[in-house]
Amino acid sequence: MKKLLMMGTTPTSIELINMAKAQGIYTITTDYLEPEQSPAKLISDEYWMISTADLDALEKKCREEGVSAVLAGISEFNIERMAELCQRLELPCWCTPESWNAIQKKHNFKRLCRENGVPVATDYYLSNPPTEEELAQIVYPVVIKPVDQNSNTGMSYCYNREDVIKGCEYARSLSKSETLIVEKKFSGTEYMAWYAIAEGEVSLLTFAASMSQPGYPGSCYEFSASDKKNLRNYVELYEPSIKKMIHAAGCREGICWIQLFLEDDQVFYALEMGYRLSGDMMCLPMREAYGFDALQWILDVALGKHHTVSDLPATFNCNSEKSICSYILWSKSEGIMDKIRGVEEIAALPGMICRLIAEEGSPFGQYEYLVVFAFSAVDHSDMIEMVNKINNTVEMLDHNGNNVCIYFDDIEAIRKVADADCAHI
């Protein structure tokens, strides 16, 4: 019997464990957390209390127990450890330490983009501390972030020199590197392009716009929907360079996504690349709407199945019948979750996929995921109807009785993205 080791717990980890168990694979989850704090352990056949940072102990245990496959969900820390552990154990893995480092370190990614003709934001070099000459070169606003952190950790938006000085101090306080990314702050529409990879070739899975509720941080992207309106512009003018960049990074198999911004100059600028599945669960409606299972794709790789170019799905195009959507409710404040209402009602709707992260009685922080809804839609009216239904049904109350959900209600933004006339494309 094959044994699969899952490193850490995320909602994606749980999806993969359930899928593996349904295929008769023995599952093990490891991290340093007690099972009550690590839900993947509760559904696995076995669990270990070994930290995913302790690769020496994990390597020894895997050899003793005959582990034949290793996976991680979407945790970038755990994926990096997964790649190294697989290399030590000579087990298949969708990424190598080299390919992971090529795209994960932000300065490496920007260099790859420039070398392959992918537009990126203007950036600035700042000493520690910044000199007056360096500060004078900056055109505001800019974003400052560490080179070695993810999920917006250590990031600051800066609108003047005082902001920059504070932002540098903050980023360096959370980083192991003196080097910072200081670059133009984008103000356009955010996009994500997802790809399946086999033998170094790629196929576009979907192309989606990501929107945030006005008045809240842009990093709290709430509503995402596959977009056909700007698809031709992207595919014809930018995708050839994106494909070259992915190949140059050494990505040979697996799943990846590229985060882009479409600015007023109608140029797509690349901001970041993820060599993994995404936290918005878009892979789940993708399976229903387009017939491609991204979870199975990476599980296959871990189990030793070699995908060929002929296995790649047909590339996403404007004639795709449905759009896929993800709606994430974020927390506007921190506190203790007291009551969760309406989630079960929404989850029971036909075609709806729901993953609840918040738990009654548990603490939560400001600007954290509370619940993810994923579904497919035929047009903007369908999307808007579902968003309104969620907004009018779901409540999450803290211990003071305050509803802490950030609701997305920028209906015009959904209409602009989704209401595309494909006939002229």
Side-chain angles (χ1 to χ4, degrees):
M1 176 183 289
K2 290 190 174 183
K3 289 187 177 182
L4 169 69
L5 176 67
M6 179 61 65
M7 299 181 71
T9 285
T10 65
T12 304
S13 306
I14 293 170
E15 299 286 342
L16 288 164
I17 288 169
N18 284 328
M19 178 176 285
K21 289 179 71 174
Q23 296 172 28
I25 298 161
Y26 189 86
T27 57
I28 307 165
T29 294
T30 191
D31 57 34
Y32 65 87
L33 298 171
E34 293 297 327
E36 295 74 20
Q37 299 172 292
S38 182
K41 288 182 173 178
L42 299 177
I43 63 168
S44 295
D45 297 300
E46 180 182 339
Y47 67 82
W48 300 342
M49 296 299 295
I50 304 175
S51 168
T52 56
D54 192 348
L55 291 183
D56 290 340
L58 284 174
E59 180 185 359
K60 182 174 183 292
K61 185 73 169 175
C62 285
R63 293 187 187 280
E64 291 172 350
E65 299 297 327
V67 167
S68 51
V70 179
L71 268 178
I74 62 168
S75 164
E76 289 164 335
F77 177 88
N78 287 337
I79 291 172
E80 184 175 15
R81 272 70 192 168
M82 171 196 71
E84 184 175 341
L85 182 59
C86 286
Q87 191 172 70
R88 291 187 185 194
L89 296 170
E90 298 183 323
L91 292 177
C93 185
W94 80 77
C95 67
T96 64
E98 294 75 22
S99 61
W100 181 256
N101 183 64
I103 59 92
Q104 194 60 25
K105 303 299 183 185
K106 293 179 174 62
H107 56 294
N108 289 346
F109 174 69
K110 291 194 78 170
R111 183 178 67 250
L112 268 175
C113 287
R114 290 193 177 102
E115 290 173 353
N116 291 280
V118 178
V120 292
T122 301
D123 54 10
Y124 304 91
Y125 172 80
L126 296 181
S127 305
N128 185 16
T131 67
E132 289 299 324
E133 183 179 359
E134 290 167 351
L135 291 168
Q137 301 298 315
I138 297 175
V139 178
Y140 295 98
V142 294
V143 179
I144 296 180
K145 48 195 173 184
V147 296
D148 55 358
Q149 297 294 317
N150 302 290
S151 302
N152 304 314
T153 301
M155 185 175 74
S156 300
Y157 295 130
C158 303
Y159 300 88
N160 53 52
R161 67 185 303 281
E162 288 75 23
D163 287 350
V164 167
I165 292 170
K166 291 178 182 177
C168 289
E169 292 174 353
Y170 175 53
R172 287 193 170 105
S173 73
L174 298 172
S175 176
K176 296 178 182 178
S177 174
E178 282 290 303
T179 305
L180 302 175
I181 297 292
V182 184
E183 62 188 11
K184 173 188 173 182
K185 178 182 180 294
F186 291 124
S187 58
T189 302
E190 182 179 340
Y191 284 84
M192 297 277 276
W194 281 265
Y195 288 94
I197 314 171
E199 298 181 315
E201 300 297 322
V202 303
S203 178
L204 183 65
L205 295 174
T206 197
F207 180 71
S210 298
M211 294 158 267
S212 302
Q213 175 65 10
Y216 288 92
S219 55
C220 294
Y221 50 91
E222 285 205 84
F223 188 76
S224 299
S226 48
D227 172 21
K228 303 163 190 174
K229 193 171 187 177
N230 291 290
L231 181 60
R232 182 172 182 176
N233 177 28
Y234 171 75
V235 168
E236 291 188 352
L237 300 181
Y238 300 97
E239 190 178 64
S241 297
I242 291 286
K243 287 182 174 181
K244 284 175 57 183
M245 183 270 294
I246 294 172
H247 189 271
C251 302
R252 300 289 300 167
E253 52 193 342
I255 301 290
C256 75
W257 46 261
I258 315 294
Q259 183 184 15
L260 307 138
F261 274 86
L262 179 61
E263 294 294 282
D264 290 340
D265 57 6
Q266 295 304 297
V267 173
F268 278 104
Y269 294 90
L271 185 67
E272 188 175 1
M273 176 176 168
Y275 197 6
R276 58 178 176 83
L277 297 168
S278 55
D280 55 15
M281 308 303 287
M282 286 283 264
C283 61
L284 298 181
M286 188 185 300
R287 179 168 55 196
E288 183 271 331
Y290 309 142
F292 177 78
D293 195 332
L295 289 163
Q296 187 65 56
W297 190 263
I298 65 167
L299 179 59
D300 284 347
V301 175
L303 295 174
K305 178 178 179 179
H306 176 67
H307 294 127
T308 65
V309 173
S310 63
D311 296 323
L312 288 169
T315 191
F316 177 74
N317 61 68
C318 73
N319 296 316
S320 298
E321 200 169 301
K322 294 181 179 179
S323 293
I324 59 174
C325 308
S326 170
Y327 183 14
I328 303 169
L329 292 183
W330 295 68
S331 55
K332 66 174 71 172
S333 59
E334 62 180 24
I336 305 294
M337 188 61 66
D338 187 44
K339 297 289 184 185
I340 298 175
R341 298 173 178 162
V343 171
E344 290 185 1
E345 183 179 339
I346 297 298
L349 295 173
M352 175 60 68
I353 299 163
C354 171
R355 297 296 178 263
L356 181 62
I357 292 97
E359 296 181 352
E360 292 183 353
S362 295
F364 59 90
Q366 184 181 37
Y367 304 140
E368 288 187 356
Y369 280 26
L370 298 175
V371 62
V372 183
F373 298 103
F375 56 95
S376 60
V378 294
D379 56 25
H380 75 265
S381 297
D382 203 11
M383 295 180 195
I384 292 167
E385 180 182 355
M386 188 59 70
V387 167
N388 286 335
K389 189 170 293 186
I390 292 170
N391 291 349
N392 293 330
T393 306
V394 177
E395 287 186 329
M396 298 201 183
L397 308 180
D398 66 11
H399 58 293
N400 294 316
N402 300 312
N403 187 354
V404 298
C405 294
I406 301 175
Y407 296 105
F408 184 78
D409 61 9
D410 191 353
I411 301 306
E412 186 58 32
I414 297 177
R415 185 176 288 112
K416 285 180 179 178
V417 165
D419 191 17
D421 177 11
C422 284
H424 72 280
I425 298 179

